[in-house]
Amino acid sequence: IEPGEIESALVVHPSVAQAAVVVREDRPGDKRLIAYVVAAGDGRVDTDALRRHAGAALPEYMVPAAFVELDLLPLTANGKLDRRALPEPRLGTGPGGRQGRTPVEEVLCGLFADALGLPAVSIDDDFFRLGGHSLLATRLVSRVRRTLGARVSVRDLFRQPTVARLAVFIAEGADADRRPALVAGERPERVPLSAAQRRLWFLDQMEGPSATYNIPLAVRLTGALDADALHLALSDVVARHEALRTVFPAEQGTPYQRVLPAEEARPALALIPATREALPTVLRDLSATTFDLARELPLRADLLRVEDDEHVLLLVTHHIASDGWSTTPLMRDLAAAYTARVEGAAPGWEPLPVQYADYALWQQALLAADEERQLDHWRQALEGLPEEVTLPADRARPATASYRGASLTVRCPAGLHASLTRLARESGTTLFMVAQAATAALLARSGAGGDIPIGSPVAGRGEEALEDLVGFFVNTLVLRTDVSGDPTFRELLDRVRTTDLAAWSHQDVPFDRLVEALNPERSAARHPLFQVMLSVTDAADPVPRLPGLHADAEFTTLDIAKFDLTFTFHEHRAPDGGPAGLGITVEYATDLYDPATVSAVTARLVRLLRAAADTPDTPIGALDVLADDERARLLDTWHGTRRVRPAAALPELFAGQAARTPDAVALTHGAQRLTYAELDRRANRLAHRLIAEGVRPGSRVALFQERSPEAVVAILAVVKAGAVYVPLDTRYPKDRIDLIVRMSGAEVFLTDRDPSGLELPDGARALSVTDPAGSYAGTAPEVTVHPDQLAYVMFTSGSTGVPKGVAVTHRNVTELAADDRFTGGAHRRVLLHSPLAFDATTYELWAPLLSGGTLVVAPPGLLDAAALTRVLAEGSVTGLWLTVGLFRLVAEEDPAAFAGLREVW
């Protein structure tokens, strides 16, 4: 390329007096042609016109990436062009550009900006006018293909050089044939509610009028305000947007939209005096006033007078008529109307292409054509979703949620914001996906499990005709985050991107329809399908630009929490559109959480974000989330004195205890007493008998016995033989016993009843524990048992009703028994009252026997108040494990015994 040839082509343009074209490499490996021009005469250079001129006169590859207008070209002392003095071209978009409206647009904005090396790109910025060239285009197309799985070529990018146009091009192949056109057309006599409106109408009918779904917007106006013009402007806005003058009567229980004529729907504007001190309270009280949806406009306006030149305009809309996106067109139209009214004219805006009623009818047609296909995706994506996933609460969940809430906000610095944005671009994700991955990782690290459903609002304005319309379009998606397997944060981002892109391409199904189709367990105590909500939004609140007035957003809150937790990330922007910091607001249900808990969780989230930004290839389980004082409290204060756990198996530990306290009472059962030495000898004899019957280390031995001293001897004998005991409940049906024996592989039955009367599974043989074993040695078998061998396999009912075996090692049992909670005098006499096939027996059996305590064996069968009273009469049982059901049983049968049990427990 000869720069002089380009310069000659540029100076031909009548607005250009001088031109210099240079090759700049402001980023290593990224060379671009930059044109510096000086205007002819006193005029200015129209760089867009100059670009078009260059495109017509030169080949595409010779058109400069940027045009920079200068007053003079800088020269050296020798009169040559001073290349070092030429300024770096300013590329990119400021905060005024349109941001991504859909997740795909957000991803593309990140990919465009990353390819161009810019802090931010709007959806309307032309890739090539921002300095893009063929090489960068090739790289960008490759990233788009890999990230979105879209079939895009470099030629397509030249034809669709903006994010907005490229997003439409990508979507057209999959969706264009399924989506009806959204246009204003004929309406039926009664227009149905949209799906989102129906849900809010139903909640209003079920719960009564409530401020839960109020949307307050307060704007402080400083300067000379024309209140009459403001009132007229509000009427203009309500006339322009039908949603703001729609009421919702019902005919035979079916609601419909009734759009009031503009002349009947002029909102009142009450002028209310307020002091600065009382202003927050007045705003909160006015914001909480409820709406009668069948009769009242869903918009209410109040003008609070603080001083003659200081007012606060409070607009409260019901969510049934508005959403967060609506604030921008509402404020813009209010500003245009006020500007016109102060000049004595009506606003001269272009009519809106459609109204909300048109959208409701269009949505009905769309769902009729495509709902089942989209529902199929959600049925598969959310199959087996956990019923409740949330942060462990400070209090039990009430039977009915009150929706009382509070909020807490923390600030992340611009550096962290920039690092997270860079990580999103590198991984082909969005900041929302980074926030989602971090929130899911935090919940998982806090004990929520590895399957984390998170709710997320989507704007629901995929049709261009809806962009400038006030109304309720937002929908809620359930984004299921798989955190299992301790992935790295970058791997988790890949999972999140795959899940979210699939969810966003099936976003038309209304949330209430999704709940109806999936039919999860309903509860008035919690939100269905998810309990944690997440959103990422721009921090700048839209305010009207009114002539002669300075407008600022005035914060107001309703102290309401629709979910357990709502995490909202607010993005602050620098003048060039780059990251300037994050505000993270956590709204929480005060029924469940204390402020200190939420404060600690929010601080952990910030630490996790910082760790993820610094080391994204670290497993999420290793990312630092604890503060220094939390770590010290956990390791030193709560952990107590660090003790080495016994590195031995159960037979060795029990034998050691028997050697230390041979004459201490190990077991009682009514009047029967067994010392540690006696219990050890009896277990050794039975262990030798089992070995003689072919039981080897690792063999499974089923225990088909009632609770008794013989059952304790049998358990000890099995582990001494190196085998694995499989306890069975004697009340189980035969089919269930057969299934457990087959699944466990047990071939030997130890039973306390006549073996000849048992119907055993094929291949199994029974041994009676009541047969004398005196001919066998009372010394321990010469069997080596490793701590990591299995001690028992216990079968639970399973979430599906099919038994599921839980395999537990010797080390698992010994570490439980040695836990600080189960040592000391409080657990010296423990009642064995649970069925042998219930996991509580692990504590009841081993905690006393491995510490020199006494095991008190309750009578066989189900316990009643009388049986428990007899056991207690034998002596203090301090380590009593009681279930709620057992408490209730005793309380109903014998209140006096219940009082005694409560005291003991």
Side-chain angles (χ1 to χ4, degrees):
I1 295 175
E2 175 53 54
E5 183 180 349
I6 304 173
E7 293 168 354
S8 298
L10 295 181
V11 295
V12 172
H13 195 273
S15 68
V16 177
Q18 292 178 285
V21 176
V22 301
V23 178
R24 294 188 65 104
E25 191 175 1
D26 295 306
R27 287 198 306 167
D30 182 14
K31 296 180 179 181
R32 306 185 188 189
L33 286 171
I34 307 298
Y36 295 89
V37 295
V38 177
D42 296 328
R44 307 293 298 177
V45 177
D46 184 343
T47 54
D48 285 338
L50 184 57
R51 182 186 298 275
R52 290 193 296 270
H53 165 77
L58 298 166
E60 175 269 326
Y61 64 88
M62 294 180 68
V63 176
F67 294 81
V68 181
E69 184 178 1
L70 302 176
D71 293 333
L72 294 170
L73 292 178
L75 302 177
T76 66
N78 297 328
K80 295 183 179 181
L81 181 68
D82 188 352
R83 293 175 176 270
R84 294 184 178 181
L86 291 171
E88 181 179 346
R90 180 169 180 172
L91 303 172
T93 181
R98 291 198 300 168
Q99 305 300 310
R101 301 162 297 180
T102 67
V104 170
E105 286 185 345
E106 290 181 19
V107 170
L108 288 175
C109 282
L111 295 178
F112 271 50
D114 189 49
L116 293 165
L118 300 176
V121 170
S122 84
I123 64 173
D124 301 309
D125 284 329
D126 187 299
F127 176 77
F128 299 100
R129 293 192 180 187
L130 293 179
H133 48 69
S134 298
L135 178 59
L136 289 179
T138 302
R139 295 173 182 170
L140 174 60
V141 165
S142 176
R143 290 287 306 278
V144 171
R145 288 173 179 168
R146 186 169 66 253
T147 302
L148 298 177
R151 296 180 179 179
V152 179
S153 67
V154 173
R155 184 172 64 174
D156 295 329
L157 180 60
F158 274 96
R159 292 174 175 174
Q160 321 291 342
T162 69
V163 166
R165 290 170 58 183
L166 188 59
V168 170
F169 176 80
I170 291 172
E172 276 182 349
D175 294 332
D177 58 338
R178 285 196 295 265
R179 303 182 76 82
L182 174 55
V183 294
E186 293 186 7
R187 302 178 185 176
E189 183 179 349
R190 291 184 175 174
V191 177
L193 276 61
S194 71
Q197 286 180 325
R198 280 198 307 273
R199 182 166 187 258
L200 289 193
W201 182 88
F202 175 77
L203 290 173
D204 182 78
Q205 297 296 303
M206 184 175 67
E207 301 173 0
S210 166
T212 304
Y213 292 95
N214 284 8
I215 303 177
L217 177 64
V219 181
R220 185 182 293 270
L221 303 172
T222 306
L225 174 67
D226 187 335
D228 292 335
L230 182 60
H231 191 191
L232 289 172
L234 281 170
S235 297
D236 292 330
V237 172
V238 172
R240 177 170 171 78
H241 297 278
E242 287 184 358
L244 299 177
R245 50 186 172 94
T246 299
V247 293
F248 304 90
E251 181 70 29
Q252 296 182 342
T254 301
Y256 60 93
Q257 297 187 53
R258 179 173 171 241
V259 181
L260 300 177
E263 58 273 12
E264 297 179 16
R266 300 183 185 277
L269 182 63
L271 184 61
I272 303 172
T275 63
R276 284 193 174 84
E277 294 73 21
L279 186 62
T281 301
V282 175
L283 286 173
R284 185 168 57 250
D285 292 345
L286 291 173
S287 298
T289 305
T290 59
F291 291 89
D292 181 348
L293 297 181
R295 298 176 180 83
E296 295 180 346
L297 291 181
L299 168 70
R300 187 172 48 251
D302 295 292
L303 186 62
L304 281 64
R305 179 184 174 278
V306 182
E307 299 285 352
D308 288 344
D309 61 349
E310 184 178 350
H311 297 77
V312 175
L313 173 64
L314 175 65
L315 300 178
V316 181
T317 54
H318 193 282
H319 205 352
I320 203 168
S322 185
D323 56 21
W325 184 295
S326 298
T327 302
T328 297
L330 179 62
M331 292 292 97
R332 184 175 60 241
D333 288 349
L334 181 61
Y338 179 82
T339 301
R341 289 299 179 179
V342 294
E343 296 174 355
W349 43 44
E350 290 289 327
L352 293 166
V354 295
Q355 289 288 346
Y356 193 84
D358 303 310
Y359 161 78
L361 294 170
W362 172 85
Q363 184 192 51
Q364 194 175 61
L366 172 66
L367 294 178
D370 199 35
E371 183 181 62
E372 278 307 313
R373 182 191 68 86
Q374 296 197 35
L375 273 176
D376 285 343
H377 162 80
W378 289 110
R379 290 188 182 101
Q380 182 177 358
L382 301 182
E383 183 180 6
L385 191 74
E387 290 179 359
E388 181 176 315
V389 175
T390 190
L391 188 75
D394 296 311
R395 287 172 291 282
R397 188 184 295 276
T400 302
S402 72
Y403 300 112
R404 288 189 294 268
S407 62
L408 172 73
T409 300
V410 296
R411 184 75 184 267
C412 296
L416 177 56
H417 186 189
S419 297
L420 295 172
T421 302
R422 186 164 53 251
L423 174 60
R425 292 178 181 174
E426 291 172 356
S427 55
T429 61
T430 65
L431 183 66
F432 173 86
M433 295 177 187
V434 173
Q436 178 188 338
T439 303
L442 178 69
L443 291 172
R445 293 282 300 275
S446 302
D451 188 354
I452 311 291
I454 294 177
S456 171
V458 288
R461 296 176 186 250
E463 304 300 312
E464 189 173 356
L466 302 178
E467 286 188 24
D468 297 326
L469 192 61
V470 173
F472 182 22
F473 302 95
V474 69
N475 192 19
T476 302
L477 301 184
V478 184
L479 304 178
R480 189 176 192 174
T481 312
D482 177 12
V483 194
S484 63
D486 199 22
T488 68
F489 194 80
R490 198 185 301 276
E491 290 169 345
L492 181 57
L493 278 177
D494 289 340
R495 297 182 187 181
V496 166
R497 181 182 60 211
T498 301
T499 298
D500 288 6
L501 289 177
W504 287 324
S505 64
H506 299 84
Q507 64 175 278
D508 296 313
V509 177
F511 180 77
D512 61 322
R513 179 70 183 94
L514 182 62
V515 174
E516 179 185 333
L518 298 181
N519 195 27
E521 180 180 340
R522 309 296 176 88
S523 172
R526 64 172 184 264
H527 194 269
L529 300 182
F530 68 89
Q531 291 77 47
V532 177
M533 176 69 91
L534 172 70
S535 65
V536 176
T537 185
D538 198 77
D541 292 320
V543 294
R545 297 182 179 180
L546 307 180
L549 293 166
H550 178 74
D552 287 303
E554 183 76 13
F555 179 74
T556 182
T557 179
L558 289 175
D559 295 331
I560 287 173
K562 302 184 186 74
F563 311 97
D564 290 4
L565 296 163
T566 299
F567 293 88
T568 304
F569 287 65
H570 301 275
E571 283 198 90
H572 296 268
R573 296 287 182 185
D576 64 354
L582 286 171
I584 304 177
T585 298
V586 183
E587 182 181 87
Y588 60 95
T590 53
D591 287 344
L592 303 177
Y593 303 108
D594 293 327
T597 299
V598 177
S599 177
V601 167
T602 310
R604 290 173 200 148
L605 177 60
V606 174
R607 279 191 290 274
L608 192 150
L609 286 166
R610 185 175 293 111
D614 292 342
T615 56
D617 295 308
T618 300
I620 59 173
L623 294 176
D624 192 15
V625 298
L626 295 177
D628 292 341
D629 60 330
E630 289 178 320
R631 185 178 293 101
R633 187 162 61 249
L634 180 65
L635 295 179
D636 300 329
T637 306
W638 290 349
H639 187 282
T641 304
R642 299 187 183 186
R643 298 192 303 149
V644 178
R645 298 299 187 199
L650 293 171
E652 181 181 346
L653 293 174
F654 179 77
Q657 185 61 54
R660 289 190 298 273
T661 58
D663 298 324
V665 176
L667 178 152
T668 70
H669 179 62
Q672 185 179 2
R673 300 285 187 274
L674 284 178
T675 66
Y676 272 88
E678 293 168 336
L679 182 59
D680 190 42
R681 281 195 296 273
R682 288 182 58 175
N684 287 338
R685 290 192 181 101
L686 182 55
H688 282 292
R689 181 185 172 193
L690 291 172
I691 294 170
E693 292 287 344
V695 172
R696 296 291 180 265
S699 298
R700 270 58 166 174
V701 177
L703 304 181
F704 190 71
Q705 302 174 243
E706 293 286 355
R707 186 174 49 240
S708 65
E710 288 74 20
V712 177
V713 171
I715 290 173
L716 281 168
V718 172
V719 298
K720 281 173 175 284
V724 181
Y725 64 92
V726 183
L728 303 171
D729 194 317
T730 57
R731 297 167 296 171
Y732 283 165
K734 181 179 183 302
D735 289 346
R736 187 178 185 86
I737 291 175
D738 290 349
L739 179 61
I740 291 175
V741 171
R742 186 169 64 253
M743 293 173 67
S744 66
E747 296 181 356
V748 175
F749 262 55
L750 278 178
T751 180
D752 55 6
R753 45 196 78 187
D754 184 1
S756 62
L758 292 178
E759 296 184 31
L760 298 179
D762 293 340
R765 62 187 186 280
L767 301 176
S768 174
V769 294
T770 60
D771 291 344
S775 60
Y776 292 96
T779 57
E782 294 183 2
V783 176
T784 301
V785 182
H786 191 276
D788 291 326
Q789 284 181 227
L790 292 184
Y792 68 81
V793 175
M794 195 170 289
F795 282 78
T796 71
S797 60
S799 58
T800 62
V802 178
K804 296 179 180 178
V806 178
V808 179
T809 67
H810 288 254
R811 190 187 303 276
N812 296 150
V813 177
T814 58
E815 290 193 352
L816 173 76
D819 192 280
D820 290 343
R821 295 171 295 171
F822 302 140
T823 57
H827 302 271
R828 298 292 290 176
R829 284 177 61 85
V830 177
L831 179 66
L832 176 61
H833 81 276
S834 300
L836 297 184
F838 180 46
D839 60 359
T841 56
T842 306
Y843 155 76
E844 296 171 0
L845 178 70
W846 296 109
L849 291 184
L850 296 184
S851 63
T854 301
L855 179 65
V856 181
V857 182
L862 292 174
L863 296 185
D864 57 13
L868 276 175
T869 303
R870 287 196 301 272
V871 171
L872 291 175
E874 299 173 7
S876 173
V877 182
T878 52
L880 188 60
W881 182 304
L882 291 180
T883 66
V884 173
L886 195 57
F887 262 130
R888 185 179 298 114
L889 172 70
V890 176
E892 293 172 353
E893 289 189 1
D894 191 339
F898 175 63
L901 284 176
R902 283 187 57 186
E903 183 177 353
V904 171
W905 183 72

